[in-house]
Amino acid sequence: MGYTYGSVILFLLVPTIGTFILGFLFWKKLKAVSYSLWFVGCAFLILTIWTMIGHSIHDDESKVMLGIYKLDISKSKYHSDNLKLFSDMTLTVNENHTFLFNRTTPFFPSLSGKWTFNDDGDLAIATCTYDNTTIDFQLIDGFETWTFQGNNLKNGKEGDLIVFTKK
């Protein structure tokens, strides 16, 4: 979501207050105009509250993604390597929107990177950036796992999956 609380206040709360004030200014002269302005003001107020609640829910979803994840060998598949060699591998997802793998692998182009989260209500997508490589992937399994599919892996093939499950 590309907005902040400041933009919510600017684009929703200011018109809300403005319509209520204008309604009071017209109260003695044109009561129908006052009622119309107050109706619009109420609609803006409801939209403001709904937007701010949606924004805080988005923040809560993002925080659920934080933590340490362990490579789930039983759910993972990679075409050219024995995954048991990587059984100690972890993914640490930090609050400052960085992530870190505890060791190098043939699956990922780097040990660390940055992540962002976007949920449009239908689809939750995490974007991982390693140095100059950006990978978008859908959070298929919910928020307790990070699943990297074949097209999101270094030299990955269709059918490959690297799955990390929260400890």
Side-chain angles (χ1 to χ4, degrees):
M1 304 234 175
Y3 58 84
T4 64
Y5 285 114
S7 63
V8 169
I9 290 170
L10 180 66
F11 293 113
L12 293 175
L13 199 55
V14 170
T16 301
I17 294 168
T19 56
F20 281 116
I21 291 172
L22 284 173
F24 284 115
L25 291 175
F26 285 109
W27 176 246
K28 290 187 178 183
K29 296 177 185 174
L30 300 167
K31 290 188 181 193
V33 172
S34 292
Y35 288 132
S36 298
L37 288 169
W38 290 339
F39 178 77
V40 170
C42 287
F44 269 116
L45 184 62
I46 290 168
L47 184 61
T48 302
I49 292 168
W50 180 68
T51 303
M52 292 177 87
I53 289 171
H55 187 74
S56 65
I57 289 170
H58 169 72
D59 289 344
D60 291 343
E61 288 174 345
S62 181
K63 288 182 183 190
V64 170
M65 297 174 63
L66 305 178
I68 299 174
Y69 296 77
K70 186 169 177 24
L71 178 65
D72 189 335
I73 295 174
S74 65
K75 293 181 181 177
S76 297
K77 178 186 174 201
Y78 194 72
H79 65 278
S80 66
D81 283 301
N82 181 358
L83 292 175
K84 290 180 182 176
L85 299 173
F86 303 98
S87 63
D88 63 336
M89 186 173 179
T90 60
L91 165 66
T92 304
V93 181
N94 301 309
E95 191 170 1
N96 66 355
H97 289 267
T98 61
F99 63 89
L100 176 69
F101 298 107
N102 68 329
R103 61 181 289 192
T104 58
T105 69
F107 324 127
F108 303 105
S110 174
L111 277 176
S112 63
K114 294 183 178 189
W115 65 276
T116 58
F117 172 75
N118 188 13
D119 184 1
D120 65 4
D122 292 329
L123 190 64
I125 296 179
T127 301
C128 294
T129 305
Y130 312 88
D131 303 323
N132 293 327
T133 306
T134 300
I135 296 173
D136 288 336
F137 63 96
Q138 182 179 353
L139 296 173
I140 304 168
D141 306 332
F143 296 103
E144 297 295 315
T145 63
W146 283 62
T147 302
F148 297 86
Q149 295 178 325
N151 60 335
N152 297 324
L153 300 170
K154 184 178 176 185
N155 301 319
K157 295 186 177 184
E158 189 174 330
D160 287 348
L161 290 173
I162 299 297
V163 180
F164 291 90
T165 306
K166 203 167 203 175
K167 284 184 165 183

